[in-house]
Amino acid sequence: MKINFGSTIPATHTQVLFKEQAVPMLTETDGVTALILGKGKEGKVTARTFRTLVRTAVRSAKSSKIKRIAFTLDDVLFPELVNDHSREWVLRTFAENLVIAQYEFGRYKTDKKKESYAAEVLVVGVLEKGDKESIKWGETVGTYVNHSRDLSNTPGGDMTPQTLARAAQTMAKGTKVSVKVLDQKQIEKEKMGALLGVARGSTEEARFVIMEYWGKGKGKEAPVVFVGKGITFDTGGLNLKPSDSVLDMHLDMSGGATVMAAIVCAAKLGLKKNIVALIPAAENMVSGESYRPGDVLISMSGKTIDVLNTDAEGRLVLADGLTYAKRYNPRLVIDVATLTGAALVALGQHASAIMTKDIKVQNMLMELGEESGDYVWPLPLWDEYKQYTKGVFGDLANIPASHGRYGGSINGGMFLSHFAEGFTWAHIDMAPRMTATQSDHLAKGATGEPMRLLLKVAELY
Ligand code: BES
Ligand code: ZN
Ligand code: ZN
């Protein structure tokens, strides 16, 4: 998407107007077209409705096959938003949502026309100091959300652990993010037995991606570490998923994609912060070499794990990711994963589940979720739930031996908590936000979430 600035709206552009009325409409007077959108009856625009409004403008333009759209600054800078947030926030959010709404996953389409719609935006009006920078900032954030979506949306056949690791290197090129990739042999040397167990059924080798950004200066401050689930395809393993459930499972590396995009975006924006992103990547496949239900894995931490279900693989690869994170003496560790279908049962498709024992971190995530648009909602990690993580032959079990259907997301979080010892930690189960839903007004497929939230955390924590 190209965002340009001007003083008048030329006839080549369709002006987007926000009016009280509810029905979207395309009008034409004297050869000048306008796209009229309803901003809600009460007329008070909130952060949430603003995002929807901007996205609707772009999606409506796209469905009307309009290539160039224009906004006046006055139309975009709703006084209530400038008051409640800031002019900077409004312009950043505006640009970011333009960019993510314009996105299509066009890689496999021979006809690229769809990508050209609403690809040019003209912003008209008197700019104040810093306005262009705010719009540029939002554009950058949106672009990296889209990078995350590109990686997620790529089918499993074309996005293996190795390709994912290469994508990290490509994305980081030209930035101050360093990338190191551990191959199968190095992973064995690190004794990441949980990651290796999951990877065993696939002909594709595991990878462990380490991305570092020392924006504050190495040694100057302990880093914030993000750990992203990098399952490039989740068949469920020998506890094979039914046909309907396996369809979207190339998106099971979305946590990995989003932490990658977040760290590179932070570098692009020049944040003066130390950030590390870790992505344990594997393919959960079915073969004669697959790990079995009943196998006992020795994780990198030394803790042994009964594999009671090979489909609860995300928590296994993350266990080794969290253990590795400890090396950095981190200030905060956040893992991001499409971990449980149960999170969808609990929350529907409109918020990721967060779990942490640190109430301050919980409140921060909820606040920054509202501010960034990556909404989250908490679930408890109380000691009462610890009993369900006990192993029979191993120290731990990857699912409860009984009560299997209750509190599925919490069980996942509680399992991970055993590997998050010695540092402040939060778990984001982003399964609910793995794919866009109709009211998101985004292209079908990955949302790229919660990249914007991670960025905010990196910026402010
Ligand atoms: N990747 C899935 C979770 C998932 C399901 C994400 C649907 C997005 C949409 C995960 O690896 C998984 O299979 N979890 C199991 C856990 C169960 C075996 C305890 C699940 O949710 O069924
Ligand atoms: Zn699974
Ligand atoms: Zn999975």
Side-chain angles (χ1 to χ4, degrees), residues 151-334:
L151 296 184
S152 292
N153 284 329
T154 302
D158 288 341
M159 182 53 69
T160 63
Q162 202 180 328
T163 346
L164 187 63
R166 286 220 188 99
Q169 285 160 331
T170 310
M171 207 193 277
K173 209 169 252 168
T175 72
K176 287 188 175 154
V177 176
S178 70
V179 184
K180 194 170 140 196
V181 178
L182 304 187
D183 62 17
Q184 183 86 15
K185 274 225 177 80
Q186 291 163 307
I187 293 170
E188 279 163 17
K189 223 167 138 199
E190 292 286 0
K191 298 194 166 70
M192 296 182 170
L195 171 60
L196 289 167
V198 174
R200 223 163 59 205
S202 174
T203 50
E204 297 292 337
E205 289 184 355
R207 290 288 182 271
F208 191 88
V209 184
I210 303 157
M211 303 172 85
E212 298 177 358
Y213 170 64
W214 306 105
K216 174 108 180 178
K218 206 169 178 171
K220 288 229 169 105
E221 187 175 56
V224 170
V225 180
F226 300 133
V227 186
K229 172 175 173 180
I231 297 296
T232 58
F233 197 79
D234 183 10
T235 64
L238 291 174
N239 293 103
L240 190 63
K241 284 184 184 293
S243 305
D244 286 352
S245 312
V246 85
L247 204 55
D248 273 340
M249 282 303 133
H250 62 290
L251 296 166
D252 213 17
M253 34 56 73
S254 296
T258 204
V259 303
M260 265 181 206
I263 190 172
V264 180
C265 187
K268 268 270 175 198
L269 294 170
L271 297 193
K272 304 237 170 323
K273 293 286 177 174
N274 291 340
I275 311 167
V276 173
L278 304 172
I279 302 106
E283 194 182 36
N284 190 19
M285 289 297 261
V286 184
S287 80
E289 282 175 291
S290 294
Y291 74 141
R292 305 160 188 77
D295 279 357
V296 183
L297 302 176
I298 307 172
S299 69
M300 187 188 193
S301 71
K303 291 182 184 175
T304 56
I305 307 164
D306 287 341
V307 177
L308 299 187
N309 192 316
T310 59
D311 198 11
E313 84 299 335
R315 61 198 74 181
L316 295 173
V317 305
L318 287 174
D320 286 344
L322 289 169
T323 302
Y324 195 93
K326 202 168 176 184
R327 285 195 186 170
Y328 290 94
N329 281 322
R331 281 193 301 142
L332 171 69
V333 176
I334 301 182

Side-chain angles (χ1 to χ4, degrees), residues 380-410:
L381 287 182
W382 297 328
D383 286 345
E384 283 83 345
Y385 295 100
K386 209 168 172 179
Q387 53 184 308
Y388 309 116
T389 60
K390 274 210 184 94
V392 178
F393 302 114
D395 305 327
L396 300 166
N398 75 334
I399 62 159
S402 53
H403 301 283
R405 268 170 6 95
Y406 298 159
S409 302
I410 299 172

Side-chain angles (χ1 to χ4, degrees), residues 302-379:
K303 291 182 184 175
T304 56
I305 307 164
D306 287 341
V307 177
L308 299 187
N309 192 316
T310 59
D311 198 11
E313 84 299 335
R315 61 198 74 181
L316 295 173
V317 305
L318 287 174
D320 286 344
L322 289 169
T323 302
Y324 195 93
K326 202 168 176 184
R327 285 195 186 170
Y328 290 94
N329 281 322
R331 281 193 301 142
L332 171 69
V333 176
I334 301 182
D335 75 74
V336 186
T338 47
L339 207 76
T340 64
L344 280 139
V345 177
L347 296 173
Q349 280 193 285
H350 302 287
S352 288
I354 51 167
M355 282 154 257
T356 174
K357 292 181 183 179
D358 190 306
I359 189 73
K360 279 198 194 129
V361 170
Q362 176 176 308
N363 290 336
M364 171 185 72
L365 289 174
M366 290 181 74
E367 258 170 49
L368 297 182
E370 283 297 328
E371 197 178 313
S372 67
D374 290 343
Y375 308 130
V376 298
W377 202 256
L379 292 174

